[in-house]
Short mmCIF file of all heavy atoms in Angstrom, two decimals:
data_model
loop_
_atom_site.label_atom_id
_atom_site.label_comp_id
_atom_site.label_asym_id
_atom_site.label_seq_id
_atom_site.Cartn_x
_atom_site.Cartn_y
_atom_site.Cartn_z
N THR A 1863 47.25 68.73 76.95
CA THR A 1863 48.51 68.74 77.69
C THR A 1863 48.85 67.32 78.18
O THR A 1863 50.02 66.99 78.32
CB THR A 1863 48.45 69.68 78.89
OG1 THR A 1863 47.23 69.45 79.60
CG2 THR A 1863 48.51 71.13 78.45
N SER A 1864 47.84 66.50 78.42
CA SER A 1864 48.19 65.15 78.88
C SER A 1864 48.53 64.22 77.73
O SER A 1864 49.55 63.55 77.76
CB SER A 1864 47.09 64.52 79.74
OG SER A 1864 45.94 65.26 79.74
N ARG A 1865 47.68 64.18 76.70
CA ARG A 1865 47.92 63.21 75.64
C ARG A 1865 48.73 63.78 74.48
O ARG A 1865 49.08 63.06 73.56
CB ARG A 1865 46.59 62.65 75.14
CG ARG A 1865 45.97 61.67 76.12
CD ARG A 1865 44.70 61.06 75.56
NE ARG A 1865 43.60 62.00 75.54
CZ ARG A 1865 42.69 62.13 76.50
NH1 ARG A 1865 42.76 61.37 77.57
NH2 ARG A 1865 41.71 63.00 76.41
N GLY A 1866 49.00 65.08 74.53
CA GLY A 1866 49.81 65.67 73.47
C GLY A 1866 51.15 66.16 73.97
O GLY A 1866 51.97 66.65 73.20
N MET A 1867 51.38 66.07 75.29
CA MET A 1867 52.64 66.54 75.86
C MET A 1867 53.15 65.62 76.96
O MET A 1867 54.34 65.40 77.10
CB MET A 1867 52.45 67.92 76.52
CG MET A 1867 52.32 69.08 75.60
SD MET A 1867 52.03 70.57 76.58
CE MET A 1867 53.69 71.17 76.83
N GLY A 1868 52.21 65.12 77.76
CA GLY A 1868 52.60 64.35 78.94
C GLY A 1868 52.95 65.29 80.07
O GLY A 1868 53.91 65.11 80.81
N PHE A 1869 52.13 66.30 80.21
CA PHE A 1869 52.36 67.37 81.18
C PHE A 1869 51.49 67.07 82.40
O PHE A 1869 50.41 67.61 82.53
CB PHE A 1869 51.93 68.67 80.49
CG PHE A 1869 52.52 69.89 81.06
CD1 PHE A 1869 53.86 70.17 80.89
CD2 PHE A 1869 51.74 70.79 81.77
CE1 PHE A 1869 54.40 71.33 81.42
CE2 PHE A 1869 52.29 71.93 82.30
CZ PHE A 1869 53.62 72.20 82.12
N LEU A 1870 51.95 66.19 83.26
CA LEU A 1870 51.09 65.67 84.32
C LEU A 1870 51.53 66.13 85.71
O LEU A 1870 50.72 66.53 86.53
CB LEU A 1870 51.06 64.14 84.27
CG LEU A 1870 50.78 63.52 82.88
CD1 LEU A 1870 50.90 62.01 82.94
CD2 LEU A 1870 49.41 63.92 82.38
N GLU A 1871 52.81 66.05 85.96
CA GLU A 1871 53.30 66.30 87.32
C GLU A 1871 53.50 67.78 87.62
O GLU A 1871 53.36 68.21 88.76
CB GLU A 1871 54.62 65.57 87.57
CG GLU A 1871 54.51 64.05 87.57
CD GLU A 1871 53.54 63.52 88.63
OE1 GLU A 1871 53.28 64.24 89.61
OE2 GLU A 1871 53.02 62.41 88.44
N GLU A 1872 53.86 68.56 86.61
CA GLU A 1872 54.18 69.97 86.85
C GLU A 1872 53.02 70.70 87.54
O GLU A 1872 53.22 71.31 88.60
CB GLU A 1872 54.57 70.67 85.54
CG GLU A 1872 55.88 70.17 84.91
CD GLU A 1872 55.69 68.97 84.00
OE1 GLU A 1872 54.64 68.30 84.10
OE2 GLU A 1872 56.58 68.70 83.19
N PRO A 1873 51.81 70.65 86.97
CA PRO A 1873 50.72 71.35 87.66
C PRO A 1873 50.42 70.77 89.04
O PRO A 1873 50.11 71.51 89.97
CB PRO A 1873 49.52 71.19 86.71
CG PRO A 1873 49.90 70.13 85.74
CD PRO A 1873 51.38 70.10 85.67
N ARG A 1874 50.54 69.47 89.17
CA ARG A 1874 50.26 68.85 90.47
C ARG A 1874 51.26 69.31 91.53
O ARG A 1874 50.90 69.51 92.69
CB ARG A 1874 50.30 67.32 90.36
CG ARG A 1874 49.07 66.76 89.67
CD ARG A 1874 49.10 65.26 89.54
NE ARG A 1874 47.81 64.76 89.11
CZ ARG A 1874 47.35 64.84 87.87
NH1 ARG A 1874 48.08 65.38 86.93
NH2 ARG A 1874 46.14 64.38 87.57
N TYR A 1875 52.49 69.46 91.10
CA TYR A 1875 53.51 69.92 92.03
C TYR A 1875 53.16 71.32 92.54
O TYR A 1875 53.27 71.61 93.73
CB TYR A 1875 54.87 69.92 91.32
CG TYR A 1875 56.01 70.36 92.21
CD1 TYR A 1875 56.53 69.49 93.17
CD2 TYR A 1875 56.54 71.64 92.11
CE1 TYR A 1875 57.56 69.90 94.00
CE2 TYR A 1875 57.57 72.06 92.93
CZ TYR A 1875 58.08 71.18 93.88
OH TYR A 1875 59.09 71.58 94.70
N ILE A 1876 52.72 72.17 91.63
CA ILE A 1876 52.34 73.53 92.03
C ILE A 1876 51.15 73.47 92.99
O ILE A 1876 51.17 74.08 94.07
CB ILE A 1876 51.99 74.40 90.80
CG1 ILE A 1876 53.19 74.48 89.85
CG2 ILE A 1876 51.55 75.79 91.25
CD1 ILE A 1876 52.90 75.25 88.57
N ILE A 1877 50.13 72.73 92.59
CA ILE A 1877 48.91 72.67 93.41
C ILE A 1877 49.25 72.21 94.83
O ILE A 1877 48.80 72.79 95.81
CB ILE A 1877 47.88 71.71 92.78
CG1 ILE A 1877 47.39 72.29 91.45
CG2 ILE A 1877 46.69 71.49 93.73
CD1 ILE A 1877 46.56 71.33 90.63
N ASN A 1878 50.08 71.19 94.91
CA ASN A 1878 50.43 70.68 96.23
C ASN A 1878 51.22 71.69 97.06
O ASN A 1878 51.29 71.56 98.28
CB ASN A 1878 51.23 69.38 96.10
CG ASN A 1878 50.29 68.19 95.94
OD1 ASN A 1878 49.33 68.04 96.69
ND2 ASN A 1878 50.55 67.36 94.94
N ASN A 1879 51.80 72.66 96.40
CA ASN A 1879 52.56 73.68 97.12
C ASN A 1879 51.78 74.95 97.41
O ASN A 1879 52.28 75.83 98.09
CB ASN A 1879 53.84 74.04 96.35
CG ASN A 1879 54.95 73.05 96.64
OD1 ASN A 1879 55.55 73.07 97.71
ND2 ASN A 1879 55.16 72.14 95.71
N VAL A 1880 50.57 75.04 96.86
CA VAL A 1880 49.81 76.26 97.13
C VAL A 1880 48.51 75.98 97.87
O VAL A 1880 47.79 76.90 98.24
CB VAL A 1880 49.49 77.06 95.85
CG1 VAL A 1880 50.78 77.56 95.20
CG2 VAL A 1880 48.68 76.24 94.86
N CYS A 1881 48.18 74.73 98.05
CA CYS A 1881 46.98 74.45 98.85
C CYS A 1881 47.17 73.18 99.66
O CYS A 1881 47.99 72.33 99.33
CB CYS A 1881 45.73 74.40 97.98
SG CYS A 1881 45.63 72.92 97.00
N ASN A 1882 46.40 73.06 100.72
CA ASN A 1882 46.57 71.94 101.64
C ASN A 1882 45.69 70.74 101.33
O ASN A 1882 45.99 69.63 101.71
CB ASN A 1882 46.29 72.39 103.07
CG ASN A 1882 47.46 73.18 103.65
OD1 ASN A 1882 48.60 72.73 103.56
ND2 ASN A 1882 47.18 74.34 104.20
N LYS A 1883 44.57 71.02 100.67
CA LYS A 1883 43.62 69.92 100.47
C LYS A 1883 43.46 69.62 99.00
O LYS A 1883 42.76 70.32 98.28
CB LYS A 1883 42.27 70.31 101.07
CG LYS A 1883 42.33 70.55 102.57
CD LYS A 1883 41.01 71.10 103.06
CE LYS A 1883 41.22 72.04 104.24
NZ LYS A 1883 40.08 72.93 104.43
N PHE A 1884 44.15 68.59 98.56
CA PHE A 1884 44.10 68.22 97.15
C PHE A 1884 43.76 66.74 97.04
O PHE A 1884 44.40 65.90 97.67
CB PHE A 1884 45.45 68.52 96.49
CG PHE A 1884 45.55 67.99 95.08
CD1 PHE A 1884 44.64 68.39 94.10
CD2 PHE A 1884 46.56 67.09 94.73
CE1 PHE A 1884 44.74 67.90 92.80
CE2 PHE A 1884 46.65 66.60 93.43
CZ PHE A 1884 45.74 67.00 92.47
N TYR A 1885 42.74 66.42 96.27
CA TYR A 1885 42.34 65.03 96.09
C TYR A 1885 42.19 64.71 94.61
O TYR A 1885 41.63 65.50 93.86
CB TYR A 1885 41.01 64.76 96.80
CG TYR A 1885 41.09 64.99 98.28
CD1 TYR A 1885 40.70 66.20 98.85
CD2 TYR A 1885 41.60 63.99 99.11
CE1 TYR A 1885 40.81 66.42 100.20
CE2 TYR A 1885 41.71 64.20 100.48
CZ TYR A 1885 41.31 65.42 101.02
OH TYR A 1885 41.43 65.64 102.37
#
Side-chain angles (χ1 to χ4, degrees):
Chain A
T1863 47
S1864 9
R1865 286 184 287 267
M1867 286 177 91
F1869 202 71
L1870 310 175
E1871 293 301 337
E1872 294 87 342
R1874 285 179 169 77
Y1875 181 76
I1876 300 176
I1877 294 170
N1878 276 312
N1879 277 285
V1880 296
C1881 74
N1882 283 311
K1883 298 172 212 160
F1884 172 58
Y1885 299 95

